[in-house]
Amino acid sequence: MSTTAPPRPSGSAATPPRRPASPHPLSAWRGSLLAPAAAGIATLCAATSVTSVVSGLAWFGYLFVAVLLIAATGLALRSLQVPTVLVGLGQLVVLLFLITGAFTTHGILQVIPGPEAFGEIGNTLSAAAEQIRVGLPPVEGSQPILCLVTILIGLVAVLVDTLTVAAAAPAATGLVLLCVYAVPAALSEEMLPWWTFLLGGAAFAGLLAVDGNHRHRRWRTREAPGRSGKPGVLSAPVAVVAAAIVLGLFGGAITWVGTVGRIPFGNGGDGPGAGSGGFGIQPFTELRGMLDQGANRELFKVRGLGTDRRLLRAMTLDTYYPNKGWGLHDEGRSQQGVPVGPQLPPAPGDDGSGAARKIDVEPASWRDNWLPVYGAPRVIDGAANGYLYDQVSGTVFTTRSEVPPAYTEYASLKEPTAQELRVTPRVEDLPPRYTQIDRVDDRVRAKTQQLIASESNDFDRASAIWRYFTAQNGFVYDTKTAPANDSDALADFILNGKRGFCEQFASAMAVMLRVAGIPSRVAIGFTPGVQVNDYLSITTQDAHAWVEAYFGDKGWVTFDPTPLSDGRGITPSYLQAGTQDGNQPDDTQVAPSTVQSSAAPTGAPRDTEQNQQAQGPQDTDEGTPAAVWVLVGVLVALALVATVLVVAGGRRRRPDREPAAAGFGAVLKNWLPLIAAALWVAVLGVLTWLVAWWFSLIVVLLLAGLLGPSAARDVGRRRRLQEIVSQRPGAADAAWSELRAECADRGLPIPPSDTVRVAGQKLAAKHHLDDEGRDGLRTVIGVVEKSWYGEDGQGDPTLPSAFDHLRRSLHRNAPLSWKGRLFPKSLFRGRD
């Protein structure tokens, strides 16, 4: 039977339909996927300059997630036609959720910040500021540093996205991105890597190219924005550019952030080697937080100890800050000492009777104000000029952070016996800061008095407190403290959580010693390390904190309450006599299970556990990180290959060809876009899984909720297109179903009561089909009618090409909005 074209909606048959005015250029630009994608890529490429000030690559994973979420949020909100101000606020809220989920433990539903979460973020940023103040680039990628970098680059991503998409002024982002380079360039005394400039320049050029291509295509037949002569139109881009210039100048003016060579009590240094990378430890411990092993680097090579296992002390902390942790009195500004010379003043407890052990220390990647020493130092040879020895604190330091030369220490390693310590009288010959203790929870005081009630001397009292921090009493070594259940962090750790790493154990025991009337301090340094050839290798993994208690003429005596089980813990001889609880030797403190995390502060001391039980995605067993990164690499490679094939295949297609050919290759090609999208979601899921499994689950669920409807619609579309291309018996029905779905997605659902021709008339009029589309529609209608009312039931070979032309015309003349793409109405109305 013959077919006729749907009548034109108006005018004579010879007059082509008047096409509607194209969308406003800004609307088209803001609805484009290329704009936010280019903005996000430009931000990430500029952020690669962070490599010069933060070691490792963990920060990039956080930034990738942050930029992706910000871009996706902006795209989704703009597709819903949300005002620009609210889009920016929405992006900031998503960034806040990310920060809460990744860097706090008190978020409501893990991601929504409450008062405690805000307080934890504030403490984390304070720790980051302290690490910047005392550290030198490149600093370890600690939890505070990662949090700070994520926040700053996240804010930059919001600003770049707003300027690029909402203001349609991507050129103005150049000064903003330049600020991202300015801060690392000011902090690092070495040149930034050449490749980071290449990436940044290429990404910015790509951003301008995308904008230029859009303007050429959209504005070539009309006046470009800003050219109309209207003050309001003209002033908008001028204001944006002016604001960007001011921001750029201001950003260059604040590049003083970060202090090369400073310590809490020192002045900025500019000595030899200043500014080169190295490892340092911050003079503060925290009662809550997480531990990050970071990249393992060798810090010292030690010779002369033989088989002796000794703790290497870098600094001691003398002041307890309630509900926070331990630090230096007056932030170290009152620290004093005598110049390191041929002979040092005798340390407390060193009466000269013990033999002086010669110990050679060769620093490797150590750069700090502190010169670590063993025992009671008597002589230090080879130390550079400017080092001071504080007899009371037992530390050797300088007023500027630097890389020390190899040095030789002559030290007394003599240890008192338990009996000597029991009969040592209490002597009040220390500065008051070693005994002062304020604002300790009454429950902690009561627990301390309970532990020491039956003891008659300070040593047995200290030992009773030390024995309390064992697995038998519920304490577990972990790289993350238990979730807070109490407003007082100290009481919460001692009485409730009982889970943490060396900082928490040492901080808690030192407070309890002072409550018991025993002078105490927290020492920060390193465990003995491991034997390598003829020397002991001490690495960043050996960083540790312990307690030192004062016993008059015996000096400072070591107590290490952290229940390490990896062989690196030390139990001195005076604590090995007798048993704990009547059955366990004192030198076998073992926590039944240990958990280690891969994201937390590296500025603080770090313990390590080589033989830990794997638990969850934050396990840092030797093989796990490599396996995870290999998996990420494989997924990224597959996703890139799939994406390239999708892009290349889309460009090679010619309009006059059929949508695809039949066969396995056609099926694979049709499904490649979905495969590529699934692979990118998998990459994001694995990267967020490194932060926390629940965070990965939330991100994947959010992406599934955002992309799921579109993917389901695409599955139905591709299934029907494959039927059409393969010319199966149901090809005509598939074509009609897909046509109804396309109309529903564009806001023109076809009622089942409409005939094929009535529906075609509505479609042609509403969507302003061009000639190619009308010809395709005519053929499709004819094939559908023939299929429904004909008798032969044979397929029509012209259907695939005609339906392809019809779909192309729809895309040209009635393009789908992002709202229509993400949440297709046909899916929710059952048109599929």
Side-chain angles (χ1 to χ4, degrees):
M1 59 182 295
S2 62
T3 60
T4 59
R8 302 184 184 274
S10 62
S12 64
T15 304
R18 183 175 62 88
R19 294 179 59 182
S22 298
H24 191 277
L26 286 180
S27 300
W29 172 252
R30 291 168 183 169
S32 169
L33 177 63
L34 285 178
I41 293 173
T43 302
L44 286 176
C45 288
T48 57
S49 60
V50 175
T51 55
S52 63
V53 291
V54 179
S55 61
L57 291 176
W59 55 269
F60 189 79
Y62 286 90
L63 298 191
F64 179 80
V65 174
V67 171
L68 183 60
L69 290 179
I70 288 170
T73 301
L75 184 62
L77 292 179
R78 291 187 186 101
S79 70
L80 299 176
Q81 298 182 350
V82 175
T84 299
V85 174
L86 295 182
V87 171
L89 290 177
Q91 291 173 319
L92 293 176
V93 169
V94 169
L95 178 62
L96 179 60
F97 286 173
L98 172 63
I99 297 301
T100 303
F103 301 103
T104 72
T105 57
H106 300 88
I108 303 170
L109 300 178
Q110 301 290 342
V111 296
I112 303 175
E116 290 185 347
F118 279 115
E120 195 169 352
I121 292 174
N123 292 336
T124 301
L125 295 180
S126 297
E130 180 67 13
Q131 187 174 347
I132 292 173
R133 191 165 70 91
V134 303
L136 290 174
V139 298
E140 290 289 333
S142 65
Q143 191 81 345
I145 292 297
L146 292 176
C147 180
L148 178 63
V149 171
T150 304
I151 291 175
L152 294 179
I153 301 300
L155 293 176
V156 169
V158 173
L159 182 57
V160 171
D161 184 81
T162 302
L163 290 174
T164 300
V165 185
T173 64
L175 291 173
V176 179
L177 298 176
L178 185 61
C179 293
V180 179
Y181 284 94
V183 174
L187 294 178
S188 177
E189 293 192 0
E190 297 181 355
M191 292 289 293
L192 297 182
W194 62 268
W195 52 267
T196 185
F197 289 104
L198 180 62
L199 285 176
F204 183 62
L207 185 60
L208 296 180
V210 169
D211 179 46
N213 181 61
H214 168 266
R215 293 174 187 271
H216 173 71
R217 288 187 294 105
R218 293 292 183 180
W219 296 336
R220 59 187 175 186
T221 60
R222 58 183 56 82
E223 194 172 38
R227 299 289 299 276
S228 64
K230 297 180 180 179
V233 176
L234 183 61
S235 62
V238 172
V240 169
V241 174
I245 293 174
V246 172
L247 180 64
L249 295 177
F250 176 73
I254 63 173
T255 54
W256 53 266
V257 176
T259 54
V260 176
R262 292 189 190 171
I263 60 173
F265 54 88
N267 299 319
D270 55 359
S276 60
F279 177 86
I281 48 181
Q282 69 179 37
F284 198 83
T285 65
E286 297 180 350
L287 291 172
R288 285 177 176 150
M290 282 196 307
L291 171 70
D292 182 16
Q293 296 298 329
N296 191 19
R297 288 188 288 169
E298 186 175 65
L299 301 178
F300 303 98
K301 297 179 180 179
V302 178
R303 297 176 175 87
L305 282 176
T307 58
D308 281 357
R309 295 174 51 77
R310 302 287 177 170
L311 295 170
L312 179 61
R313 181 176 61 252
M315 71 180 77
T316 58
L317 309 179
D318 50 32
T319 303
Y320 172 67
Y321 295 92
N323 212 34
K324 293 182 180 179
W326 285 76
L328 290 171
H329 175 69
D330 195 26
E331 295 187 352
R333 286 186 290 269
S334 59
Q335 192 93 2
Q336 297 179 355
V338 298
V340 172
Q343 190 71 32
L344 299 178
D350 183 13
D351 57 5
S353 60
R357 179 74 65 85
K358 178 185 178 183
I359 307 170
D360 295 316
V361 182
E362 179 184 344
S365 299
W366 176 256
R367 181 185 180 88
D368 211 329
N369 304 86
W370 316 95
L371 193 70
V373 293
Y374 287 97
R378 295 178 178 174
V379 176
I380 296 180
D381 286 338
N385 294 332
Y387 277 96
L388 304 174
Y389 172 62
D390 182 4
Q391 182 182 12
V392 178
S393 67
T395 58
V396 179
F397 63 91
T398 182
T399 56
R400 60 185 181 185
S401 183
E402 61 183 53
V403 178
Y407 57 96
T408 299
E409 177 193 3
Y410 295 85
S412 171
L413 304 181
K414 181 181 177 181
E415 291 182 341
T417 65
Q419 186 57 34
E420 289 174 338
L421 293 173
R422 286 190 176 96
V423 299
T424 298
R426 183 177 294 181
V427 180
E428 303 294 342
D429 60 348
L430 287 173
R433 64 178 181 270
Y434 288 99
T435 56
Q436 289 175 345
I437 190 72
D438 299 317
R439 295 169 53 191
V440 176
D441 193 284
D442 291 340
R443 292 169 294 172
V444 175
R445 292 184 180 273
K447 186 63 179 180
T448 303
Q449 295 302 323
Q450 176 190 349
L451 294 174
I452 66 175
S454 61
E455 309 300 343
S456 59
N457 59 79
D458 282 350
F459 175 71
D460 287 338
R461 295 186 186 101
S463 299
I465 296 173
W466 173 73
R467 286 195 299 270
Y468 175 63
F469 296 96
T470 59
Q472 287 79 2
N473 291 319
F475 285 90
V476 176
Y477 175 87
D478 195 339
T479 55
K480 184 177 181 180
T481 54
N485 295 313
D486 198 301
S487 58
D488 187 274
L490 177 64
D492 195 26
F493 173 76
I494 293 175
L495 304 174
N496 302 320
K498 297 185 177 182
R499 180 181 292 270
F501 49 101
C502 64
E503 282 195 49
Q504 288 78 47
F505 283 95
S507 298
M509 181 179 176
V511 171
M512 297 178 77
L513 286 176
R514 289 197 181 182
V515 170
I518 304 173
S520 63
R521 66 191 185 191
V522 174
I524 296 179
F526 303 90
T527 53
V530 296
Q531 189 73 34
V532 177
N533 298 325
D534 64 337
Y535 65 88
L536 285 172
S537 174
I538 296 178
T539 71
T540 54
Q541 302 290 316
D542 294 304
H544 191 50
W546 62 93
V547 178
E548 293 181 351
Y550 188 69
F551 287 87
D553 60 0
K554 299 304 178 184
W556 292 97
V557 177
T558 295
F559 292 84
D560 187 0
T562 306
L564 294 174
S565 63
D566 63 350
R568 297 197 180 194
I570 291 180
T571 303
S573 58
Y574 46 82
L575 292 174
Q576 293 179 11
T579 60
Q580 297 179 29
D581 302 331
N583 56 18
Q584 183 179 349
D586 287 348
D587 61 348
T588 58
Q589 299 184 59
V590 178
S593 67
T594 54
V595 185
Q596 190 157 349
S597 171
S598 62
T602 52
R606 285 178 288 268
D607 309 288
T608 185
E609 301 250 354
Q610 296 296 331
N611 300 311
Q612 297 181 344
Q613 295 180 2
Q615 179 172 335
Q618 296 190 354
D619 164 46
T620 54
D621 181 79
E622 289 293 331
T624 302
V628 171
W629 287 115
V630 168
L631 176 61
V632 171
V634 171
L635 289 175
V636 170
L638 293 175
L640 287 174
V641 170
T643 303
V644 170
L645 290 177
V646 170
V647 174
R651 290 182 175 179
R652 284 199 304 265
R653 283 185 60 187
R654 286 167 37 192
D656 58 342
R657 294 185 57 183
E658 294 183 354
F664 176 78
V667 174
L668 180 62
K669 182 178 179 181
N670 284 338
W671 288 93
L672 264 180
L674 288 178
I675 294 173
L679 287 172
W680 283 119
V681 172
V683 169
L684 187 60
V686 174
L687 289 175
T688 52
W689 181 77
L690 294 174
V691 178
W693 67 267
W694 52 263
F695 181 56
S696 175
L697 179 62
I698 291 174
V699 170
V700 172
L701 289 178
L702 286 176
L703 288 175
L706 183 65
L707 302 178
S710 177
R713 170 72 177 91
D714 200 48
V715 168
R717 176 189 298 113
R718 293 179 184 280
R719 174 175 52 82
R720 287 189 290 268
L721 291 179
Q722 191 61 36
E723 289 187 24
I724 297 171
V725 171
S726 303
Q727 300 183 32
R728 299 171 185 170
D733 290 337
W736 182 244
S737 297
E738 178 59 25
L739 187 58
R740 292 182 61 199
E742 291 278 3
C743 292
D745 291 343
R746 289 165 170 79
L748 182 67
I750 299 176
S753 58
D754 283 357
T755 64
V756 178
R757 299 202 176 199
V758 171
Q761 293 174 359
K762 291 181 179 180
L763 190 156
K766 177 67 176 179
H767 298 310
H768 306 281
L769 297 182
D770 52 24
D771 291 340
E772 181 185 30
R774 287 174 174 270
D775 290 340
L777 178 60
R778 183 184 299 109
T779 302
V780 170
I781 290 176
V783 172
V784 170
E785 289 182 334
K786 182 178 179 181
S787 171
W788 289 357
Y789 308 116
E791 297 181 357
D792 56 3
Q794 298 295 322
D796 193 323
T798 63
L799 177 61
S801 179
F803 193 79
D804 188 39
H805 293 161
L806 174 57
R807 291 182 65 241
R808 291 176 180 276
S809 180
L810 278 173
H811 294 165
R812 285 193 301 268
N813 298 281
L816 273 173
S817 65
W818 275 105
K819 180 180 179 180
R821 296 183 185 183
L822 294 176
F823 305 103
K825 295 180 180 179
S826 61
L827 187 66
F828 298 104
R829 295 185 181 184
R831 295 297 176 183
D832 267 358

